[in-house]
Amino acid sequence: MTDLKHIRNFSIVAHIDHGKSTLADRLIQETNTVSLRDMKEQMLDSMDIERERGITIKANTVRINYTADDGETYVLNLIDTPGHVDFAYEVSRSMRAVEGSLLVVDSTQGVEAQTLANVYQAIDADHEIVPILNKIDLPASDCDRVAEQIEDVIGIDASGAIQVSAKTGQGIHETLEAIVQHLPAPKGDADAPLKAMLVDSWYDAYLGVIVLIRVIDGKLKKGERIRMISTNAVYPVDRIGVFTPQMVPIDELGPGEIGFLTASIKQVRDTRVGDTITHEKKGTTDALPGFKPAQPVVFCGLFPVDAAEFEDLRDSIEKLALNDASFSYEMETSAALGFGFRCGFLGLLHLEVIRDRIEREYDIELITTAPSVIYHIYMRDGTQFELHNPADMPDLSTVDHLEEPRIKATILVPDEYLGDVLKLCQDRRGIQLDLTYAGSRAMVVYDLPLNEVVFDFYDRLKSVTKGYASFDYQMLGYREDNLVKMSILVNDEPVDALSTMVHRDRAEMRGRAMVEKLKDLIPRHMFKIPIQAAIGGKVIARETLSALRKDVTAKCYGGDATRKKKLLEKQKAGKKKMRQFGKVDIPQEAFISALKMDD
């Protein structure tokens, strides 16, 4: 067991691509935690999709031994956190397990929206913060300007900010010294009853559920029986260990230490993140404050392209849900798409990551329906319920009013693109709350409907600002608005997978865009097909797909014109009958393209 004053627990926080994982690599390399031949880029990003997209999705942990300049050996527990807003939940839980943070800021780009969001989480968790200016090897680096920006925008002292190049390894030794000197040692009592916080858990095919814990008080040894306070379940501890990043078994974990345990737990659902772990006998009774469970904000349907793969899809979704507590799902059926699942995500990137993992790891082709958010519906008879799928919207005459979720969006943008950003936010029914300047960049705060953001807001924002804007949001709550369900009818049949919730003022524009798009996507049939967008019983936009013509008069040469007329009339009657009984086949590609709203 390590002496408390020789332990330092810290996380690395930063905006996307400011170099968190690379800095973690250099710290691991500098302290020879991993031998040179095993060293690889983004050592802590273990998932294929993390390495491919170059992003961190899961917070990962590693234990480093470091001999400081004063001759003492310290144990450093590092947690590398994600930068994307969708995974802010991972960041918040990592923060509670450690006492300090390294705030990494790109010295060429300065403070971004996600830098702010993540550093505020660190401040909320009472962290000691060490600012680090990364990428000083780049010609565009300007440390003085960025240090000034950190002081202006965040309000923490950056005069002693460490200048680092995580790529070349410059400044890494100074970083390690700063961790030892400036970050506080953890507090804890080794003789008190065991109290450990469950930081994360995931499923391993050989060991069952692996639980990442941070011991606050007491000691945990192999073979002891533990109890989860929230579920009262009791388990025998099979093994205890630490990550270096490989799993290394040890005999016991003491206060202030971060490690893992396995205890024949069958399902990740049995381990609630933020739960308190204690001994079965003589355990503590007061639980740690824990975390709020992650609330999914975006919902969409996942359907297999081949209906025969439904059971495989069910297995793959269950396996993914084992490792991702913030992903929720339930079964649903659709007239157009067959059997599938209605899934809840923390945001669009989370949705993409899950979809990519199902397609890649389980080899199932998917159709994703239009993403939607949760609406609160208040009925005339006083009841209320949550609407996850626009297709389930009750008859408007029975509804009193609807409320939609709103978010508070913070956008940091260079001055020259400010006008475009303001126009984009106004077009999306935004309400401006604040506009301030940090150097040459504007910080805009808007109250926006989440419904408008989940479609393609982020892509539009990146394109109008040539990629220079950064965006972060948090939930504000629900507010009433004039929302309606827009249905799409093909040959007078409603297509449930294409129905969406829209604001009444924008319904006509959305409807027109949708039917024009479908007209190009649906192949022509032998009969005329009307494609309509409707609200309730009122059609607001229509396009007609003309029929394929067969020249029935080809065999008539010469003779009377009435013969031709007779044949054409006969054809017309046939087409009318066809249209009554004909089924319109909408190809899968048409669904996928129609749901990408790039209006």
Side-chain angles (χ1 to χ4, degrees):
M1 196 176 81
T2 317
D3 183 13
L4 273 176
K5 64 176 190 288
H6 288 148
I7 300 178
R8 297 289 182 272
N9 298 325
F10 65 98
S11 62
I12 303 182
V13 292
H15 185 74
I16 309 148
D17 285 343
H18 279 202
K20 293 179 294 293
S21 299
T22 313
L23 179 65
D25 288 352
R26 289 295 90 62
L27 294 175
I28 291 170
Q29 200 176 344
E30 177 78 13
T31 52
N32 298 325
T33 304
V34 174
S35 63
L36 266 175
R37 63 162 194 216
D38 295 332
M39 197 65 205
K40 57 183 186 210
E41 295 282 310
Q42 271 75 42
M43 191 76 205
L44 297 181
D45 290 346
S46 49
M47 279 195 276
D48 287 344
I49 195 157
E50 289 184 310
R51 310 185 72 78
E52 201 167 284
R53 286 173 175 245
I55 58 174
T56 303
I57 293 167
K58 292 288 288 176
N60 286 305
T61 172
V62 62
R63 175 174 175 141
I64 299 171
N65 290 318
Y66 170 61
T67 306
D69 290 351
D70 58 10
E72 300 278 347
T73 300
Y74 291 87
V75 170
L76 312 180
N77 289 307
L78 148 74
I79 297 185
D80 178 26
T81 61
H84 285 76
V85 61
D86 287 16
F87 307 115
Y89 177 65
E90 290 276 335
V91 181
S92 74
R93 11 183 241 222
S94 312
M95 295 287 176
R96 298 292 156 86
V98 296
E99 287 81 32
S101 290
L102 301 184
L103 170 67
V104 179
V105 181
D106 184 335
S107 61
T108 60
Q109 293 183 333
V111 176
E112 302 274 0
Q114 211 64 48
T115 316
L116 280 175
N118 290 341
V119 81
Y120 287 150
Q121 291 203 16
I123 292 168
D124 285 349
D126 272 349
H127 278 196
E128 191 63 46
I129 295 170
V130 173
I132 289 180
L133 305 177
N134 192 15
K135 306 195 184 178
I136 57 169
D137 54 316
L138 296 180
S141 156
D142 184 349
C143 294
D144 297 341
R145 177 181 65 82
V146 174
E148 198 178 306
Q149 209 178 28
I150 292 174
E151 292 185 357
D152 291 351
V153 180
I154 302 173
I156 57 176
D157 176 24
S159 54
I162 304 164
Q163 299 185 8
V164 170
S165 165
K167 195 170 170 191
T168 63
Q170 186 183 344
I172 297 297
H173 180 74
E174 289 81 351
T175 306
L176 286 162
E177 281 299 310
I179 292 167
V180 170
Q181 305 299 336
H182 298 313
L183 297 184
K187 296 182 178 68
D189 179 0
D191 303 324
L194 173 70
K195 189 191 271 188
M197 180 200 288
L198 199 159
V199 184
D200 199 0
S201 57
W202 59 94
Y203 188 78
D204 179 285
Y206 300 104
L207 302 171
V209 177
I210 298 174
V211 180
L212 181 66
I213 59 167
R214 155 73 202 265
V215 181
I216 310 286
D217 290 326
K219 283 184 274 203
L220 179 63
K221 295 190 176 109
K222 197 170 146 184
E224 294 180 329
R225 289 177 73 80
I226 53 166
R227 183 166 63 88
M228 308 274 182
I229 284 189
S230 73
T231 57
N232 255 333
V234 174
Y235 302 101
V237 177
D238 300 334
R239 70 174 70 197
I240 290 177
V242 292
F243 290 101
T244 67
Q246 279 69 39
M247 297 168 113
V248 176
I250 58 171
D251 293 330
E252 69 168 7
L253 282 173
E257 294 193 287
I258 295 177
F260 69 86
L261 64 88
T262 62
S264 321
I265 303 171
K266 301 283 185 294
Q267 288 206 346
V268 174
R269 287 199 195 89
D270 303 334
T271 56
R272 292 204 191 136
V273 168
D275 197 357
T276 309
I277 298 175
T278 186
H279 283 132
E280 181 188 14
K281 298 192 170 88
K282 295 188 182 162
T284 180
T285 48
D286 48 332
L288 294 160
F291 312 102
K292 299 194 289 289
Q295 291 296 328
V297 291
V298 178
F299 284 82
C300 83
L302 295 180
F303 294 87
V305 168
D306 175 3
E309 290 185 329
F310 173 71
E311 284 304 323
D312 301 343
L313 177 63
R314 184 204 297 266
D315 291 347
S316 65
I317 283 184
E318 279 172 2
K319 281 179 186 154
L320 279 183
L322 279 178
N323 281 0
D324 192 342
S326 49
F327 164 60
S328 60
Y329 65 94
E330 59 187 33
M331 220 184 104
E332 75 165 349
T333 54
S334 147
L337 302 172
F339 288 102
F341 290 92
R342 188 97 197 143
C343 304
F345 306 93
L346 298 177
L348 283 190
L349 180 71
H350 189 199
L351 184 159
E352 274 182 38
V353 164
I354 295 271
R355 191 187 63 204
D356 282 5
R357 285 185 66 185
I358 291 175
E359 290 188 339
R360 173 177 312 163
E361 293 171 24
Y362 302 98
D363 204 23
I364 298 170
E365 271 192 76
L366 291 177
I367 301 170
T368 324
T369 64
S372 76
V373 297
I374 305 177
Y375 299 95
H376 286 173
I377 297 197
Y378 294 85
M379 307 296 282
R380 290 261 159 88
D381 57 9
T383 55
Q384 106 174 71
F385 67 94
E386 289 186 347
L387 177 76
H388 291 216
N389 186 351
D392 303 334
M393 175 81 186
D395 183 17
L396 276 177
S397 59
T398 61
V399 175
D400 183 51
H401 66 277
L402 276 111
E403 288 184 350
E404 63 173 347
R406 307 282 298 198
I407 60 168
K408 178 180 166 191
T410 308
I411 300 168
L412 278 157
V413 60
D415 198 25
E416 62 263 36
Y417 305 114
L418 180 61
D420 295 334
V421 171
L422 294 179
K423 181 177 181 304
L424 175 68
C425 292
Q426 295 297 12
D427 289 350
R428 297 298 167 103
R429 302 190 283 122
I431 302 162
Q432 189 175 325
L433 301 178
D434 194 11
L435 172 57
T436 50
Y437 274 87
S440 64
R441 291 161 73 205
M443 184 165 120
V444 199
V445 183
Y446 258 89
D447 170 350
L448 284 162
L450 184 62
N451 163 11
E452 299 283 350
V453 175
V454 297
F455 263 108
D456 54 354
F457 179 81
Y458 195 55
D459 297 344
R460 305 280 305 154
L461 179 69
K462 285 287 183 206
S463 63
V464 299
T465 60
K466 299 193 171 50
Y468 282 113
S470 62
F471 167 70
D472 174 60
Y473 68 83
Q474 64 231 64
M475 299 298 293
L476 272 182
Y478 278 77
R479 192 171 324 137
E480 186 184 340
D481 214 330
N482 190 2
L483 295 163
V484 287
K485 171 188 162 187
M486 182 176 80
S487 321
I488 300 291
L489 307 164
V490 176
N491 199 17
D492 301 333
E493 299 255 325
V495 183
D496 57 353
L498 295 177
S499 53
T500 49
M501 300 294 292
V502 292
H503 194 267
R504 198 180 283 275
D505 298 347
R506 305 192 57 200
E508 200 174 317
M509 187 183 85
R510 271 269 171 91
R512 187 157 290 138
M514 194 69 143
V515 294
E516 280 172 6
K517 207 165 188 184
L518 282 170
K519 185 184 177 186
D520 298 335
L521 294 168
I522 297 175
R524 287 165 67 190
H525 286 54
M526 293 302 292
F527 49 91
K528 260 200 313 207
I529 302 172
I531 305 167
Q532 299 160 314
I535 293 174
K538 183 184 170 202
V539 174
I540 53 169
R542 167 178 173 141
E543 288 283 334
T544 307
L545 194 60
S546 55
L548 284 168
R549 292 281 313 255
K550 180 183 171 196
D551 190 0
V552 284
T553 60
K555 60 183 184 223
C556 300
Y557 42 91
D560 193 357
T562 51
R563 282 183 66 198
K564 282 188 180 178
K565 260 201 183 122
K566 192 172 161 191
L567 283 169
L568 288 170
E569 286 300 325
K570 203 170 165 189
Q571 184 189 29
K572 209 154 134 194
K575 285 201 184 292
K576 196 170 169 186
K577 194 170 178 185
M578 252 167 151
R579 201 194 134 198
Q580 262 174 324
F581 300 107
K583 273 266 175 272
V584 178
D585 291 324
I586 305 178
Q588 306 294 9
E589 299 81 60
F591 273 114
I592 296 165
S593 308
L595 294 172
K596 283 186 187 144
M597 283 296 274
D598 45 12
D599 46 342

